[in-house]
Amino acid sequence: MIIYRYIAYQVAIGFMIATAVLLPLFSFFDLLDQLEDVGKGTYRVTDAFLYTVMLLPRRFIQIAPFVALLGTVVALGKLAVHSELIALRVAGISPLRISLAPLGVGMLLLLGVAILEQFVAPQLQQKAIANRAVALQLSAELGRNLGIWTRNERSILRIGQMMHAKQAADIEILQLDQEGFLLTHTLAQYADIKDDDRWELNNVTVRTFKDGEISATRHAFLNWSSFLNPDDILTLTKLPESLSPLELVRHVEFLRSTGQDMDSYALALWRKVGSALMTIAMLLLSIPFVFGSIRTGLSNKLVFAALIGIAVYLLDQIIANTGLILRLNPAFIALVPGFAMIILATLWLRRTF
């Protein structure tokens, strides 16, 4: 037990070192990107720094597989350089038993990532995006000048702009009959969202289509029972990657039940699972990486591990984007890279041990 605690301690230190190197690097690129917008609207340097800081949990989640890879290589490579791995082997401790300590620390890393993914990163990322949009005087919208579109079985809703959580502007509502023919077209300048299902439309024009004739009426105010609740509206205006797993599950089900395209949201959900698989794969890959060449210098191991990490990251991005364009199954797109790396790492483990 003392040996396992010692190895686990060294691996935890390795994870911290990898995080201390990778997280500031990725955050620096985020900051450079934000500094380009300084001076637009009321966006200032302090806003750019605050945005970058609030994105730190999300960036840590994204680099977790590579923290696992580089951190384990740093820890075990250091033990190898100091001949401690050889001493452990001479003492009768097999490489498989030695590898249990890094795997245990890796499971703790995955637990921490899961907590951040559900309770910390989405909230901070969404707040950062909202603050940035306010400072840059941007509205939340999907599509290019198309607004937010959603529907249920009988209605189609377009929201031109979300001014804030309780007010929307440039509203269109299309009401359909059972055969899918247009019954009414409602156009409102803006809407005050009163509660879960009641919207107060302002400056409203309602066109009715009946028996080949079109009639129009105008109203200063008109109440409408919406099929969206405030949470659904806010979800529609958020990036898929900024949603928590539970939010993604609910939204994917909502899109499926209303017959809408859910691929990007389903892919974001499955990629969270795929990231966990990739973290496990990187842990497995790092162990034979060190044991397979104990005499090799630590710096060479780190360079090679970094190159592998970059290659895997780029390949994962290519597969995800290509699969989305080709409309492949989101679960297949997200899980295949992780499973493939686990298989390769397992084969390497068997060959090494």
Side-chain angles (χ1 to χ4, degrees), residues 38-51:
V38 169
K40 299 178 182 177
T42 60
Y43 201 61
R44 299 292 179 261
V45 173
T46 53
D47 297 316
F49 273 95
L50 181 60
Y51 179 92

Side-chain angles (χ1 to χ4, degrees), residues 157 159 162 165-168 171 173 190-202 221-233:
L157 170 66
I159 303 173
M162 284 300 301
K166 292 294 185 180
Q167 189 175 78
I171 310 296
I173 305 165
Y190 65 93
D192 293 317
I193 303 171
K194 297 298 184 180
D195 50 39
D196 282 356
D197 60 359
R198 187 171 68 87
W199 290 24
E200 186 179 89
L201 305 178
N202 295 264
F221 302 98
L222 186 67
N223 287 323
W224 178 60
S225 295
S226 173
F227 56 87
L228 289 178
N229 61 47
D231 289 339
D232 292 328
I233 299 170

Side-chain angles (χ1 to χ4, degrees), residues 162-179:
M162 284 300 301
M163 309 308 294
H164 51 74
K166 292 294 185 180
Q167 189 175 78
D170 187 16
I171 310 296
E172 282 188 83
I173 305 165
L174 285 73
Q175 191 70 34
L176 310 176
D177 63 16
Q178 294 182 350
E179 286 75 31

Side-chain angles (χ1 to χ4, degrees), residues 7 10 21 38 42 55 83 90 119 121 135 142 183 185 190 194 214 221 255 262 273 276 287 295 308 314-315 321 345:
I7 298 174
Q10 294 298 327
V21 172
V38 169
T42 60
L55 251 62
S83 300
V90 172
F119 300 108
L142 297 180
L183 290 178
H185 173 268
Y190 65 93
K194 297 298 184 180
I214 303 174
F221 302 98
L255 293 175
M262 62 178 186
V273 181
I287 294 168
R295 296 181 181 179
I308 290 176
L314 293 176
L315 183 61
N321 292 325

